[in-house]
């Protein structure tokens, strides 16, 4: 048996949709698992809505989720617009075989006829008129009586009554092939064995199956995967929801978190849901794909991302965060950023991040010339009994410390707290406020170790002076 050939066939009409990414990943997992091929075909024949730059956007988005054009399983991209001649030739083949026919009825003609006959749709009126090509004529497919059974690997056998399918148009009056036809002709020509796509295309499938058969090729394995829905159980869409894969990337989601999460939409891994790609690729089975719509749950995605961020080594975390740390929104000047300090703090920053974009805000005070004071938090901290006294005593004790490390910083402050009958949290607060300007942040003593003795004491003394 020849190796299976999968494909995705996105149209370059905008940012790559997360649903498209999920479909791509399902195809990719199977193509690689089965030693097959993943074909990328750009369906760019709708010239009103297509823009060439979106094609590159699709390629980049796929590469981000690990579907690399350099992988030996990858083939393409092919542009549908390069095959128009073949689409037209296929229509001719169908006309020659009597499986399709010309029709000159305009929309207005059809409407008038339906009005007169009290019907709807198009009842094959030109089937036996033996019209040839001519201006304003379309080509329609002759739908035969009977039923069409689509054998779907996910949904089982789905039966369609051919009586409910009108003789659909294959070639428009301007000579342009319709999407349905071009899609099938390309799939045949590209020897696609598996058409795995979103459920919304299921209604097209009986027509497409008729076309495959009429063109003399057994239809492929069909698999329609469930829709992605939002919290209101509505299909996620550009208008209502954040659906662009690129946007998640820009917001600091990790590619492998996104990939793992997308794979759980409509499929449940055997073990824990958080799994490395090789495991997923090996375990994924079409038979296990669910029928019901999958909830695209942003909270769950955030949880996956947090998990994946925590799994990074300090160096990987630094590299992943770099665009945010050195970007215009970092909150500190890029030339004050210090990699060594960041690496030392990384294990304490990672658990505080949902996205990579959160990282600068956790450690900005380490890289600012002066901390930015949160006035409310500051006022509250120093209104507490003994807060100012603790700060003064900490300055003296820290100044006298021999070894500047987080254990010593902690035990020194703990001892001061004990003399004021304060727990560590309360004792830390004035020191934290003095060095960071805030009442919350990463573990204090590790931060002070990284900040260094001189800078820590300078900030504490400045705070003391400001309070005096
Ligand atoms: N161009 C179609 C789309 O983007 C492809 C449908 C299919 O996968 O067959 O929805």
């Amino acid at each position: 048996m020849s190796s299976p050939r999968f494909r995705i066939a996105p149209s370059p009409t905008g940012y790559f949709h997360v649903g498209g990414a999920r479909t791509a990943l399902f195809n990719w997992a199977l193509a690689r698992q089965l030693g097959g091929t993943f074909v990328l075909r750009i369906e760019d024949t709708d010239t009103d809505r297509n823009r060439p730059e979106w094609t590159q956007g699709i390629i980049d988005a796929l590469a981000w989720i690990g579907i690399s054009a350099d992988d030996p399983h990858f083939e393409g991209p092919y542009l549908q617009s390069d095959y128009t001649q073949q689409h037209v030739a296929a229509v001719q083949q169908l006309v020659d075989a009597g499986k399709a026919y010309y029709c000159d009825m305009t929309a207005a003609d059809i409407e008038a006829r339906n009005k007169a006959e009290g019907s709807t749709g198009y009842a094959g009126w030109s089937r036996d008129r033996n019209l040839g090509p001519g201006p304003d004529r379309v080509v329609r497919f002759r739908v035969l009586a009977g039923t069409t059974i689509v054998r779907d690997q996910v949904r089982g056998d789905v039966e369609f009554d051919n009586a409910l399918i009108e003789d659909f148009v294959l070639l428009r009056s301007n000579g342009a092939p319709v999407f349905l036809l071009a899609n099938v002709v390309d799939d045949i020509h590209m020897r696609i064995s598996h058409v795995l796509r979103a459920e919304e295309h299921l209604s097209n499938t009986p027509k497409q199956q008729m076309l495959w058969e009429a063109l003399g090729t057994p239809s492929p394995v069909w698999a329609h995967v469930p829709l992605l829905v939002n919290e209101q159980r509505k299909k996620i869409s550009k208008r209502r929801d954040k659906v662009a894969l690129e946007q998640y990337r820009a917001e600091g989601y990790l590619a492998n978190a996104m990939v793992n999460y997308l794979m759980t939409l409509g499929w449940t891994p055997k073990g824990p849901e958080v799994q490395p790609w090789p495991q997923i690729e090996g375990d994924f089975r079409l038979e296990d794909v669910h029928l019901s719509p999958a909830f695209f749950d942003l909270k769950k995605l955030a949880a996956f991302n947090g998990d994946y961020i925590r799994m990074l080594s300090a160096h990987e975390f630094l590299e992943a965060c770099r665009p945010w740390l050195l970007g215009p929104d970092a909150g500190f000047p890029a030339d004050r950023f210090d990699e060594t300090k960041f690496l030392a703090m990384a294990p304490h920053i990672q658990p505080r991040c949902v996205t990579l974009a959160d990282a600068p805000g956790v450690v900005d005070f380490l890289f600012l010339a002066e901390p930015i004071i949160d006035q409310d938090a500051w006022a509250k901290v120093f209104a507490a009994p003994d807060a100012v006294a603790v700060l003064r005593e900490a300055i003296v004790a820290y100044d006298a410390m021999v070894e500047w490390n987080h254990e010593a910083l902690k035990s020194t402050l703990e001892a001061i707290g004990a003399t004021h009958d304060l727990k560590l949290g309360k004792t830390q607060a004035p020191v934290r406020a003095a060095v960071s300007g805030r009442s919350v942040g990463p573990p204090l003593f590790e931060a002070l170790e990284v900040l260094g003795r001189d800078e820590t004491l300078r900030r504490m003394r400045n705070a003391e002076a400001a309070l005096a």
Side-chain angles (χ1 to χ4, degrees), residues 28 51 90 94 142 144 151 202 228 244 297-298 319 438:
W28 183 242
R51 297 229 308 270
L94 294 170
R142 189 186 295 269
L144 302 178
R151 304 231 120 98
L202 182 63
L228 304 188
D297 183 351
L298 293 175
E319 290 317 317
R438 298 189 185 123

Side-chain angles (χ1 to χ4, degrees), residues 7 9-11 43 179 183 195 197 201:
R7 61 34 158 205
S11 303
E43 300 210 319
F179 147 74
N183 181 272
V195 172
R197 60 187 175 184
H201 295 289

Side-chain angles (χ1 to χ4, degrees), residues 430-448:
V431 179
R432 185 188 294 283
V435 298
S436 76
R438 298 189 185 123
S439 53
V440 287
L444 179 66
F445 305 108
E446 282 77 359
L448 298 184

Side-chain angles (χ1 to χ4, degrees), residues 238-259:
K238 229 181 348 208
R239 277 170 296 116
R240 281 191 289 260
D241 309 287
K242 194 164 76 181
V243 297
L245 190 65
E246 284 85 344
Q247 197 177 342
Y248 290 94
R249 179 185 192 172
E251 287 179 6
Y253 285 82
L254 286 168
N256 49 5
M258 195 75 199
V259 165

Side-chain angles (χ1 to χ4, degrees), residues 373-421:
I373 309 294
D374 172 344
Q375 295 296 347
D376 290 347
W378 171 281
K380 221 166 162 185
V381 165
F382 288 108
D386 295 355
V388 179
V390 166
L391 179 66
R392 280 204 188 107
E393 290 166 36
I395 292 171
V396 176
Y398 279 179
D399 198 16
M401 255 171 49
V402 186
E403 292 274 0
W404 186 263
N405 60 50
H406 64 272
E407 286 104 352
L409 286 157
K410 182 179 174 193
S411 56
T412 302
L413 203 65
E414 244 166 359
I416 293 171
T419 67
H420 291 270
D421 216 10

